[in-house]
Amino acid sequence: MEIKRFQNVFTEGKCDYCDSNTLVLHRRYSGESLCSECFQERIEKKIYKTISKYNLLKPEDKIIVGLSGGKDSISLLYNLYKIQKRTYNTKPIIALSIDEGIQHYRAKCLEAANHFCSKYNIEHHIIPFKEVVGKPLDEIVKNSKQTANPRYACYYCALIRRRLLNDHAKKLGGDVLALGHNLTDIAETFLMNVLFKRFYLIANQYIFKHHSSETDKYFIKKIMPLMKIPEEEITIYANLKEFHYYKSHCPFRKTEPIVRKRVLDFIESFKQLSPEIEFNLFNGFMELSEILYNTQEKKDSDYCKKCGYPSGDTEYCSYCSFIRTLEN
Ligand code: SF4
Ligand code: ZN
Ligand code: ZN
């Protein structure tokens, strides 16, 4: 069944905020009608409010933004750039992109990322998988198919990208790494973790985790200022702003129909009955992650024999275990 991803459209009507009779977007989850200008203003306010409500940034923070070249990360970078100039005006933002090495896809995303950074004069770094782990993702996936236990492309991709983003953001002197995950991403990840009973992951994703000087040695603080905005609204916002972002999806989403995609389809179809479902899942995530984080047993971690990072109760961390299989 084809799932309808785009449920909101602009139609003739009256804007609830400025009273103009014009094209308005009707938000099914809240009942509001918004003209294009008021819609954009509300999205920007929501990002700013999320940052202040959850204390995501401090004035002296050096912000590194994970920039893929898609609508989410470009909208995020644009807003942080504006907020930082207006409110903080301290250290300039740096954009950090990871080039996984996905043919017919990533080069075009990086072109959009580059274009945006040049326009706003933002320092931009690109780290290719190939340079750090020796192979692009395409080759890693191809080789893994010849092994007894092949995994989906997203598994390798996420594992390596997470580490590279973290390490390079730290190298660049960052205090926070801002990521473009939106409300739909959070709802989808939460539901998936519930379905597979991965409660330790839910606990780990708690956004107010205690930061000790020990964990700060290895991991940068991550923030998600778009976490309260549905994906669909970010698409509308990025289009209204006429951002030059790369619109197509990663080809692995089609060739390897992972569970994540099915969970997303479920949320999208359920939204037609219950438009506020993503917000309910987000609130569920916030409550449950706090309970699980505060009640889980706090054990001392071992340290990876190769990179020295915390590795839970294993000899090697998951990143180094994977790199060892690559080397072998
Ligand atoms: Fe990587 Fe999967 Fe995202 Fe493609 S869809 S960029 S393989 S995580
Ligand atoms: Zn209006
Ligand atoms: Zn390691």
Side-chain angles (χ1 to χ4, degrees):
M1 183 181 70
E2 183 60 27
I3 306 294
K4 198 175 161 210
R5 289 240 180 280
F6 220 66
Q7 300 185 10
N8 290 322
V9 281
F10 279 91
T11 49
E12 286 289 337
K14 190 171 174 185
C15 174
D16 288 346
Y17 293 93
C18 68
D19 271 354
S20 56
N21 278 307
T22 178
L23 285 178
V24 290
L25 181 105
H26 184 66
R27 270 180 172 158
R28 287 182 63 229
Y29 61 81
S30 63
E32 297 159 284
S33 293
L34 303 108
C35 70
S36 160
E37 283 71 31
C38 293
F39 172 78
Q40 292 174 57
E41 207 180 290
R42 298 235 107 53
I43 292 286
E44 292 174 4
K45 270 198 181 143
K46 176 66 97 187
I47 297 172
Y48 186 72
K49 272 191 182 164
T50 303
I51 291 172
S52 51
K53 178 174 177 190
Y54 298 99
N55 278 324
L56 300 185
L57 288 173
K58 293 197 284 295
E60 68 275 16
D61 277 343
K62 171 109 192 145
I63 309 167
I64 313 290
V65 177
L67 182 67
S68 69
K71 62 185 187 316
D72 302 301
S73 61
I74 285 191
S75 302
L76 172 67
L77 179 56
Y78 172 77
N79 275 277
L80 287 178
Y81 173 81
K82 265 183 43 175
I83 290 170
Q84 209 235 23
K85 261 196 166 323
R86 193 180 61 220
T87 316
Y88 299 120
N89 203 15
T90 50
K91 301 167 190 164
I93 288 181
I94 299 181
L96 175 60
S97 302
I98 305 296
D99 179 0
E100 297 90 348
I102 304 172
Q103 240 199 340
H104 309 305
Y105 172 65
R106 188 48 87 202
K108 291 174 193 154
C109 299
L110 292 175
E111 211 178 281
N114 254 328
H115 177 269
F116 187 87
C117 291
S118 318
K119 185 169 171 190
Y120 290 92
N121 205 12
I122 295 170
E123 185 179 330
H124 183 208
H125 295 252
I126 302 176
I127 312 294
F129 269 24
K130 196 162 188 264
E131 229 170 63
V132 187
V133 301
K135 290 182 175 66
L137 183 67
D138 284 341
E139 205 179 316
I140 294 171
V141 174
K142 199 168 140 214
N143 293 350
S144 88
K145 301 257 189 266
Q146 275 129 41
T147 63
N149 198 9
R151 314 282 296 251
Y152 285 129
C154 297
Y155 169 80
Y156 304 117
C157 185
L159 179 69
I160 305 170
R161 192 184 43 224
R162 251 198 319 265
R163 173 58 76 91
L164 301 194
L165 274 174
N166 181 76
D167 288 3
H168 286 272
K170 277 189 89 65
K171 257 190 214 162
L172 291 166
D175 296 301
V176 290
L177 172 64
L179 300 169
H181 299 301
N182 57 49
L183 177 73
T184 313
D185 297 325
I186 309 231
E188 172 198 309
T189 304
F190 175 59
L191 185 54
M192 213 165 76
N193 287 336
V194 169
L195 291 174
F196 290 92
K197 206 172 164 275
R198 295 179 190 140
F199 294 141
Y200 63 99
L201 283 182
I202 299 174
N204 240 332
Q205 286 157 359
Y206 178 48
I207 64 167
F208 302 116
K209 265 198 298 200
H210 172 65
H211 279 265
S212 67
S213 51
E214 178 60 13
T215 50
D216 286 351
K217 260 196 334 214
Y218 305 99
F219 305 112
I220 191 168
K221 177 183 168 191
K222 294 173 188 75
I223 61 166
M224 298 177 291
L226 307 185
M227 65 187 179
K228 301 198 75 179
I229 308 177
E231 176 172 21
E232 185 174 343
E233 294 202 354
I234 304 214
T235 308
I236 298 170
Y237 173 78
N239 290 339
L240 291 172
K241 284 274 172 209
E242 297 183 1
F243 290 146
H244 171 77
Y245 69 92
Y246 188 58
K247 294 196 171 77
S248 298
H249 287 300
C250 169
F252 284 116
R253 265 171 66 140
K254 270 206 180 119
T255 55
E256 307 203 3
I258 47 171
V259 181
R260 182 175 279 282
K261 165 88 170 37
R262 293 184 189 180
V263 172
L264 179 62
D265 285 348
F266 167 77
I267 293 175
E268 292 296 345
S269 59
F270 204 82
K271 247 163 75 175
Q272 296 180 27
L273 293 172
S274 179
E276 72 292 345
I277 188 74
E278 291 160 304
F279 293 91
N280 293 346
L281 283 165
F282 176 82
N283 293 333
F285 162 70
M286 294 298 275
E287 281 178 34
L288 192 61
S289 61
E290 181 175 7
I291 295 168
L292 292 172
Y293 177 76
N294 287 325
T295 50
Q296 75 179 353
E297 200 189 334
K298 306 268 183 300
K299 286 192 259 170
D300 284 339
S301 172
D302 285 336
Y303 291 89
C304 174
K305 271 184 157 176
K306 191 166 179 217
C307 69
Y309 277 51
S311 60
D313 53 6
T314 53
E315 261 187 296
Y316 294 96
C317 69
S318 46
Y319 174 77
C320 290
S321 304
F322 168 66
I323 297 298
R324 277 162 53 84
T325 62
L326 266 190
E327 288 164 357
N328 294 335

